[in-house]
Amino acid sequence: MTSPDHAPKPSDDQREPAYAERCYRSPAAIGAGVLLLALGAWLGIDAVVRGSGRTPWLAVAGLVFLVPLVAAYTVRPAVWAGQDRIRVRNPFRTITLPWASVEGVRAGYSSEIFAGGAKYQMWSIPVSLRARKQASRRQVRASLDDTSQQTSPHAPIGGKPLRAASDQAIDEIRDLSERNAGREGAQGEPRVKWAYEVIAPAVVGFVALVVIYLVG
């Protein structure tokens, strides 16, 4: 029987609690994108089936041009935050940032992350000034309803602060960055990958639109 003094010590990964990678997306943007794509497909297919002359060709070229752009700005944006890095997928590029390279995270008029001397926006975490004002009003109302007069308008209510969803997401990402920057797997430099699967068809569709219009 192995004595406690000679028992194998757990590794760093075993000692640290594991958690699932967090994903941040905008349900409103995804919903709007799906509706726009459905409307565009309906109008485009109708133009192809019922149109005459160059109309069907213009419809096809328009779909090739617009569908990637609509999907890029609505459905595509996402942010994944894990123990070692954060991956930001924006409309036209994907930025992978090891936590050690992150210099700051903030939400002003947009959600931004700083790394390697550059600033990257996080499209999937939109900032809503209206949501901020509503959260602030709820916070003030909760403090006024406190008969003990001990609740500050800026203090957490019920153990949790009343914050806009975007500000809560930024707080979580900032906390992950600060806690995990020293991890061995969190070292490295920022990497940027362009989304040619979005850019290429959009360019082809635009060129086809111009050619069909000029030739016709």
Side-chain angles (χ1 to χ4, degrees):
M1 182 175 180
T2 305
S3 64
D5 294 338
H6 296 86
K9 295 182 179 180
S11 64
D12 291 340
D13 292 337
Q14 290 175 326
R15 286 195 297 265
E16 295 180 359
Y19 54 86
E21 187 177 55
R22 305 182 190 185
C23 180
Y24 301 90
R25 307 192 75 172
S26 172
I30 294 174
V34 170
L35 289 176
L36 287 174
L37 291 173
L39 178 62
W42 175 55
L43 294 176
I45 293 174
D46 183 72
V48 171
V49 173
R50 300 186 181 186
S52 60
R54 62 177 182 174
T55 299
W57 296 106
L58 285 172
V60 171
L63 288 174
V64 174
F65 172 57
L66 291 175
V67 167
L69 294 180
V70 172
Y73 281 100
T74 58
V75 180
R76 175 179 164 82
V79 170
W80 291 275
Q83 286 185 306
D84 293 333
R85 63 187 59 84
I86 182 171
R87 185 158 56 98
V88 181
R89 191 173 70 184
N90 285 339
F92 299 112
R93 58 182 181 175
T94 299
I95 305 101
T96 302
L97 305 172
W99 288 124
S101 70
V102 175
E103 300 161 357
V105 186
R106 75 179 183 190
Y109 292 103
S110 63
S111 299
E112 302 166 343
I113 186 167
F114 299 83
K119 178 179 70 176
Y120 305 99
Q121 287 189 339
M122 292 183 283
W123 283 71
S124 69
I125 309 178
V127 171
S128 172
L129 298 181
R130 180 181 179 184
R132 279 181 178 170
K133 291 179 180 178
Q134 290 176 342
S136 179
R137 284 197 295 268
R138 289 196 301 269
Q139 188 80 25
V140 172
R141 198 157 47 237
S143 67
L144 293 176
D145 291 340
D146 182 13
T147 57
S148 66
Q149 301 296 319
Q150 296 179 353
T151 302
S152 166
H154 306 288
I157 303 298
K160 293 184 179 180
L162 294 174
R163 304 265 283 162
S166 59
D167 293 328
Q168 292 181 30
I170 292 299
D171 289 343
E172 291 175 1
I173 292 173
R174 185 183 295 114
D175 180 63
L176 286 172
S177 173
E178 293 173 353
R179 285 196 291 111
N180 295 307
R183 288 175 55 86
E184 181 179 353
Q187 310 304 308
E189 298 296 324
R191 299 196 310 272
V192 177
K193 178 182 177 183
W194 288 93
Y196 294 109
E197 67 276 12
V198 173
I199 299 173
V203 171
V204 170
F206 178 76
V207 172
L209 276 174
V210 173
V211 170
I212 294 172
Y213 180 79
L214 293 177
V215 171

